[in-house]
Amino acid sequence: MDSDMPITLRTIVLVVATVSTACSPIAGTGSTVASAQDCRAYYVHTYRLDGMEAAAVLGEEQLSKDSATCASSGLVTRRHFDCAMAARSVDALRACGAPDT
């Protein structure tokens, strides 16, 4: 992982990567984000809040893979997605809680 990446986003990326590889659809509560397009928008938005471009940090291929995994695993709940997409700062994103809540 890029050592220039801010610590907050680095932590979020590590948590999302760990959860997405270790969890099945039973993770989290409530309805989940169903489409890879929604997941991609979520990643793009959350990276942008931290001043980065998701495709530039992850690479297009990895961003596509992560988006597909997010959608198929039920990693991000609809509640968290809606909160995160409305967030206009990293602090507001943090206030949304974990992606699977």
Side-chain angles (χ1 to χ4, degrees):
M1 191 148 319
D2 189 346
S3 62
D4 293 333
M5 188 182 296
I7 190 73
T8 32
L9 186 59
R10 193 171 337 148
T11 302
I12 290 170
V13 169
L14 288 173
V15 168
V16 169
T18 301
V19 171
S20 68
T21 58
C23 291
S24 65
I26 61 170
T29 58
S31 65
T32 58
V33 176
S35 76
Q37 293 84 2
D38 282 347
C39 287
R40 181 186 178 89
Y42 169 81
Y43 288 129
V44 167
H45 179 69
T46 58
Y47 272 73
R48 193 168 290 139
L49 288 176
D50 214 19
M52 295 183 286
E53 292 297 321
V57 173
L58 297 173
E60 188 59 44
E61 184 177 342
Q62 189 62 48
L63 178 58
S64 293
K65 285 180 185 178
D66 289 352
S67 298
T69 300
C70 164
S72 67
S73 70
L75 175 66
V76 178
T77 64
R78 178 54 60 183
R79 185 214 61 82
H80 178 81
F81 176 82
D82 291 343
C83 180
M85 295 306 282
R88 296 295 173 243
S89 69
V90 172
D91 288 337
L93 176 61
R94 253 190 242 121
C96 294
D100 65 346
T101 60

